[in-house]
Amino acid sequence: MANLDSKAKLRWACRRGMLELDVLFMPFVEDAYDALSEKDKGIFQRLLEGDDPDLFAWFMGHEKSDDEELDYMVQLILNRVKV
């Protein structure tokens, strides 16, 4: 995925085929993305390259990504949405 240098492009990339992913990604982009380090922004953008079934399994806790950076980002997003 090309560097998503604009917020509009990033929002578009966050639109997924699964509502469960949309409700995680969209608030994260709006509320937390700008505060991430450049490295973490890159990891988040890489996460968005994933297939919806894999992302769903990771976020629902059914599986864990073999990529430590992607797993870190999944946990960061999950911790952010917990009440």
Side-chain angles (χ1 to χ4, degrees), residues 1-82:
M1 177 178 293
N3 185 12
L4 299 171
D5 52 1
S6 79
K7 205 72 176 263
K9 289 180 184 177
L10 190 60
R11 283 188 200 103
W12 182 255
C14 286
R15 294 178 52 131
R16 311 304 292 204
M18 295 182 174
L19 178 62
E20 296 88 347
L21 297 176
D22 289 348
V23 299
L24 291 168
F25 289 150
M26 295 305 286
F28 184 79
V29 166
E30 293 303 324
D31 301 332
Y33 180 80
D34 290 336
L36 294 177
S37 68
E38 289 304 311
K39 179 181 179 183
D40 284 352
K41 286 178 181 179
I43 295 169
F44 181 73
Q45 290 178 18
R46 264 197 326 116
L47 183 70
L48 294 178
E49 294 174 6
D51 294 326
D52 285 356
D54 291 334
L55 295 171
F56 180 80
W58 298 342
F59 279 101
M60 297 302 120
H62 301 295
E63 295 178 18
K64 182 178 176 181
S65 173
D66 293 333
D67 184 311
E68 289 182 17
E69 288 183 334
L70 295 183
D71 185 57
Y72 156 78
M73 186 56 59
V74 167
Q75 297 309 314
L76 183 72
I77 294 168
L78 286 173
N79 287 336
R80 179 139 177 87
V81 297
K82 287 183 182 175

